[in-house]
Amino acid sequence: MENTTINLDQLTRPLEADGSLVAASIERFNTVFGGRWSCKIIEHQVRDSEVIVLGELAAGGAIHQQFGKAMITFDTDPSSTPSLADHLAKAADDALVRCAYAFGIARNTEKKQPDNPKPQSTPAEPPSNGNGNGGRKLTNRQLAAIFGLGKGSGKTQQEVIGMATGCYGREPAALTVTEASELISKLKNNNGKE
Amino acid sequence: MLNHISYTQISTYLACPLKYSFQYVEQVPWPFKPEGLIFGSAIHQALEHYYNGRKEGRDVPLGEMIALYDAAWEKETTENAITIRFKNGNTRDSLFDTAEAMLETFLATVKPGEILAVEQPFSVDIMDPVSNEKLSVPLEGRIDLIERIPSGIAVIDHKTAAKKYDDERVANDLQLTAYSYVMSRQGHDPEDITLRFDVLMKNGNCSFLSYPTFRTQKDHVRLFKTAQSVTRGIEAGAFYPQKSWMCNDCVFAGECGKW
């Protein structure tokens, strides 16, 4: 894969939340890399309740591999045989989107902020520190865990936010994966009594 | 042997005594989880986070609510690793989009009063308010939300639904009757308590609807008699199938067929 100069801003601009993330990701890669990118499935496994694939996306001299999965589901009749091809395709789509995330593009969940009369806190974007996944924005599970652990230890949401801003200068929603992980450890280890 | 009874137990027994047995007596593992249950629970967690924030006077952003919703799904699909049964061509992604629109509507519409309690647990004796006869087990559960409103106190249960509620359901729903009874045990006159279903609609414009109602002492007598009959049925082992429209989506359809 040849190295090319790419427009990072163009690549990492958030995807619109409407519509298919797969289609939006493909369109984004076509826009940024033209035809000079590829995606393939390295391997796949079919388990009792899910199929798993390992996908690889190569573009602009970088390669990212991510697992993708699809739960085996039944529409209405549990005795009917689900289509393996459909589930593999779904898992491949999942892997592609995860790879796209690894390249720095993500769903824009802030797009649909309503014209809310109430003031909404707008956390600052986390800094891009170039240290791999740890520099990416925290995951939803991490955010839920931060508030959940805080609540479990008797902290108010404001106190949890205070911990995050005290340690990192940003609200929990604006932390990186690494920062969120550290904060979760603190909440666990100190049982919220910091 | 019962050590308590909840609204969910009562309603499950009333809907199908055999389902009650599979769920609570035999504790048969679920072969799958309906999407609606996970969806409703995930929305519930997002709303709980919102109201906990409001209780502190905080404006909870949409992004946080969506994160809580998504994390609840993630927990089901990874930690619990249960098969999810989707309906009507839905997928986790399509439901995410629906949830996002619903929560957005909720934030734009909701006008909360003063938040007094969120997810308030309770355990109260069940007594006939007229005869003072008492059941051997307490009524236990959680109230989603208690607010102070201009007319007094509102006790609220959150729902997600595809269809609007009809007046009869709102007027007779046993869950709201149970909440009214719990509040009366804490010294409130039932007719001073506003009971409310706050319903986030899944379809169309994702509206957020409130259905206020109230209960009287007569309703509490009826709740007592219902709970008494149900507990007697459970303790006597009276478990039999009750065929209804709900059988199509029942998680125990397979077990029921073998019964």
Side-chain angles (χ1 to χ4, degrees):
Chain A
M1 180 66 57
E2 65 176 306
N3 283 303
T4 52
T5 305
I6 57 167
N7 182 336
L8 265 182
D9 287 341
Q10 193 180 18
L11 175 67
T12 58
R13 197 178 67 244
L15 297 174
E16 296 303 306
D18 293 335
S20 156
L21 280 174
V22 178
S25 300
I26 291 171
E27 187 183 346
R28 177 65 53 81
F29 277 91
N30 283 336
T31 303
V32 176
F33 299 104
R36 298 183 306 282
W37 67 279
S38 66
C39 184
K40 62 184 175 187
I41 300 303
I42 307 293
E43 61 180 277
H44 73 272
Q45 277 183 22
V46 180
R47 297 182 175 180
D48 288 345
S49 61
E50 63 181 356
V51 297
I52 298 173
V53 303
L54 177 62
E56 182 184 272
L57 203 156
I63 294 176
H64 282 286
Q65 290 188 344
Q66 293 286 332
F67 287 104
K69 67 177 179 180
M71 302 302 292
I72 295 177
T73 58
F74 306 90
D75 277 338
T76 50
D77 178 5
S79 64
S80 69
T81 307
S83 159
L84 184 58
D86 286 348
H87 287 97
L88 282 167
K90 220 180 269 184
D93 285 349
D94 186 37
L96 187 148
V97 170
R98 287 170 192 261
C99 285
Y101 284 176
F103 271 89
I105 66 174
R107 179 195 282 266
N108 180 7
T109 55
E110 305 299 325
K111 183 189 80 70
K112 287 185 173 179
Q113 285 283 8
D115 296 332
N116 198 325
K118 296 189 287 295
Q120 299 282 319
S121 55
T122 311
E125 282 297 309
S128 172
N129 56 13
N131 65 350
N133 285 352
R136 284 169 47 213
K137 188 182 171 191
L138 85 175
T139 65
N140 288 338
R141 292 195 78 175
Q142 286 182 301
L143 185 59
I146 287 168
F147 282 112
L149 286 165
K151 186 181 162 201
S153 59
K155 284 189 183 300
T156 65
Q157 290 181 9
Q158 296 284 19
E159 286 169 338
V160 171
I161 291 167
M163 265 184 89
T165 50
C167 292
Y168 308 106
R170 292 187 302 283
E171 290 199 3
L175 299 181
T176 64
V177 167
T178 304
E179 291 166 345
S181 179
E182 285 172 4
L183 184 56
I184 287 168
S185 293
K186 282 180 189 171
L187 284 162
K188 279 182 183 168
N189 293 338
N190 299 311
N191 196 25
K193 291 188 174 66
E194 269 202 341
Chain B
M1 193 66 183
L2 278 175
N3 55 20
H4 74 274
I5 190 97
S6 67
Y7 158 73
T8 310
Q9 283 173 276
I10 294 172
S11 69
T12 302
Y13 188 87
L14 291 174
C16 177
L18 187 59
K19 181 178 181 181
Y20 179 94
S21 177
F22 289 143
Q23 174 71 33
Y24 295 103
V25 181
E26 298 175 51
Q27 301 193 39
V28 176
W30 289 20
F32 66 88
K33 218 164 188 181
E35 60 161 50
L37 212 58
I38 300 174
F39 182 84
S41 166
I43 291 280
H44 209 92
Q45 289 186 38
L47 296 184
E48 181 187 342
H49 181 70
Y50 169 82
Y51 282 109
N52 274 322
R54 287 301 310 160
K55 195 176 169 193
E56 299 171 23
R58 180 172 175 252
D59 287 307
V60 177
L62 178 63
E64 274 183 29
M65 295 178 74
I66 289 170
L68 269 285
Y69 166 88
D70 203 38
W73 266 96
E74 194 62 28
K75 188 173 180 184
E76 289 289 349
T77 51
T78 54
E79 282 177 32
N80 299 344
I82 194 166
T83 302
I84 300 166
R85 181 183 281 185
F86 288 94
K87 288 175 71 179
N88 307 321
N90 285 336
T91 63
R92 182 175 162 182
D93 275 351
S94 71
L95 290 171
F96 180 96
D97 292 340
T98 303
E100 191 178 33
M102 287 166 70
L103 293 173
E104 185 182 326
T105 302
F106 168 80
L107 275 183
T109 316
V110 67
K111 293 183 178 64
E114 180 193 348
I115 311 298
L116 300 178
V118 182
E119 290 290 314
Q120 177 67 44
F122 62 80
S123 177
V124 296
D125 289 334
I126 315 180
M127 297 176 73
D128 183 328
V130 176
S131 70
N132 282 332
E133 188 181 356
K134 186 177 129 183
L135 277 196
S136 57
V137 292
L139 177 68
E140 294 189 356
R142 273 174 194 276
I143 295 174
D144 285 354
L145 179 64
I146 304 176
E147 283 184 358
R148 191 185 308 283
I149 57 174
S151 60
I153 303 279
V155 178
I156 297 153
D157 193 67
H158 294 119
K159 301 284 186 197
T160 56
K163 286 199 303 187
K164 289 184 178 177
Y165 284 16
D166 58 46
D167 292 345
E168 194 179 326
R169 171 170 182 181
V170 176
N172 297 309
D173 187 275
L174 202 61
Q175 187 173 18
L176 293 184
T177 307
Y179 292 169
S180 166
Y181 176 75
V182 170
M183 297 302 285
S184 77
R185 294 282 299 163
Q186 293 176 355
H188 296 279
D189 182 333
E191 296 185 40
D192 288 343
I193 296 290
T194 298
L195 305 164
R196 220 169 70 205
F197 279 130
D198 278 0
V199 184
L200 268 167
M201 303 299 296
K202 288 182 191 170
N203 294 342
N205 296 324
C206 294
S207 48
F208 178 54
L209 304 174
S210 283
Y211 295 93
T213 184
F214 71 96
R215 298 289 187 268
T216 64
Q217 192 183 65
K218 194 177 163 193
D219 296 307
H220 293 174
V221 173
R222 206 169 173 81
L223 170 71
F224 172 81
K225 288 179 177 173
T226 305
Q228 186 179 51
S229 300
V230 167
T231 51
R232 281 176 181 165
I234 292 167
E235 285 172 348
F239 302 123
Y240 51 89
Q242 185 70 53
K243 192 82 180 159
S244 77
W245 61 271
M246 289 188 279
C247 294
N248 287 338
D249 289 330
C250 182
V251 293
F252 299 119
E255 289 299 319
C256 185
K258 290 185 242 164
W259 186 78

